[in-house]
Amino acid sequence: MKELHKVLYEHRFEAFFFSLLAILFGSLLFPVQFFQEKLMPLLFLINIAAGILLISKKKKLLWFFTSLFLGLLFVFGMSMIQNKATDSYMYIRLSFYFLFYTTVTIAIIKQVWNSKKVNKNVIIGLMSGYISLGLIAFFLFLSVEINEPGSFGGILLDVSSLDAKVDSLLYYAYITLLTIGYGEIIPLTPIAQKASILTGLMGQFYIVIITAVVVEKYIRHSVKN
């Protein structure tokens, strides 16, 4: 069992990274409604399992999130059997996702930061951490929109249903993290504006500090070799 865990742990960044890519770009391969209602929750569960592997050496965190994961899996199974997702399930899932991805992103940053040698796994971990920041921003924006409907506006959010806004808020989260800003979505309330500023700062700090440290380690080891 220990040997299996060791092998899996060595590939923790790859499992997390590729499951994240499936979440973000799976809708390019499948019908949007089918992907959002059926595949995306399942992909999130797979990604959470990969995230649990990332923090598996922290025993307290491991048991805490494993318990939450099993609870979420049960709720997901019940919603699939009943063929509907209740509002309470959405709130539970959103709270879990936000807490989980914040914890995992911090763990990724620490592992990348503390790595003594930069290899393929560290590079993939670096990319995974950045993508995770976008998900944190997405859950933050979604929470703001749920608590204060109409916090975000623009041509992409000219709909009444929250479900129809999910993809647009996910898009806005990454556009803001990348500090591109096309203008299709704008924050209208003070809390939405602060959340957008925080997201932009997170993206810049990550690139300027975390990425720079990894690049410096890579250059240093390359020169020694």
Side-chain angles (χ1 to χ4, degrees):
M1 192 68 179
K2 288 183 178 180
E3 288 298 321
L4 177 61
H5 176 265
K6 183 179 179 180
V7 172
L8 291 175
Y9 191 78
E10 288 177 355
H11 298 282
R12 64 196 184 279
F13 289 135
E14 290 100 319
F16 192 74
F17 177 70
F18 287 112
S19 53
L20 276 179
L21 291 182
I23 290 170
L24 289 176
F25 304 113
S27 58
L28 295 175
L29 304 174
F30 300 94
V32 174
Q33 186 173 358
F34 172 75
F35 178 78
Q36 288 183 346
E37 294 180 359
K38 305 297 182 182
L39 288 184
M40 184 178 281
L42 184 60
L43 288 171
F44 266 117
L45 292 176
I46 294 172
N47 186 245
I48 288 168
I52 289 175
L53 180 63
L54 269 164
I55 58 175
S56 59
K57 290 192 174 182
K58 301 288 185 179
K59 298 301 181 183
K60 291 183 179 180
L61 282 176
L62 173 63
W63 286 111
F64 176 68
F65 281 110
T66 299
S67 301
L68 286 180
F69 172 73
L70 292 175
L72 190 68
L73 187 62
F74 173 77
V75 175
F76 172 70
M78 293 301 295
S79 67
M80 290 291 288
I81 292 172
Q82 297 173 1
N83 200 30
K84 65 178 181 178
T86 62
D87 289 341
S88 59
Y89 168 63
M90 181 183 68
Y91 292 132
I92 292 171
R93 188 174 63 178
L94 182 61
S95 300
F96 173 83
Y97 286 158
F98 185 83
L99 177 62
F100 177 78
Y101 281 104
T102 300
T103 304
V104 169
T105 302
I106 292 172
I108 291 174
I109 291 173
K110 285 183 177 179
Q111 291 178 30
V112 168
W113 183 276
N114 294 328
S115 61
K116 294 181 180 179
K117 187 176 180 180
V118 177
N119 53 25
K120 180 190 71 174
N121 286 339
V122 173
I123 298 299
I124 293 176
L126 183 70
M127 293 187 292
S128 298
Y130 192 74
I131 296 175
S132 292
L133 285 179
L135 283 180
I136 293 173
F138 164 64
F139 295 128
L140 178 61
F141 293 158
L142 190 57
S143 299
V144 170
E145 184 63 26
I146 289 173
N147 289 313
E148 292 188 19
S151 291
F152 298 92
I155 58 174
L156 294 182
L157 291 176
D158 192 19
V159 290
S160 57
S161 171
L162 181 63
D163 291 338
K165 295 180 180 180
V166 169
D167 266 355
S168 295
L169 287 176
L170 180 63
Y171 164 78
Y172 178 68
Y174 280 97
I175 289 300
T176 305
L177 185 71
L178 293 165
T179 63
I180 297 175
Y182 291 117
E184 310 101 323
I185 300 174
I186 54 175
L188 298 176
T189 62
I191 189 170
Q193 292 165 359
K194 288 181 173 64
S196 299
I197 292 172
L198 178 62
T199 299
L201 287 175
M202 287 193 305
Q204 291 302 300
F205 287 159
Y206 192 93
I207 293 174
V208 172
I209 300 174
I210 309 300
T211 304
V213 168
V214 172
V215 171
E216 188 273 335
K217 286 182 181 180
Y218 178 78
I219 293 173
R220 179 159 26 102
H221 286 108
S222 295
V223 171
K224 287 182 179 179
N225 294 331

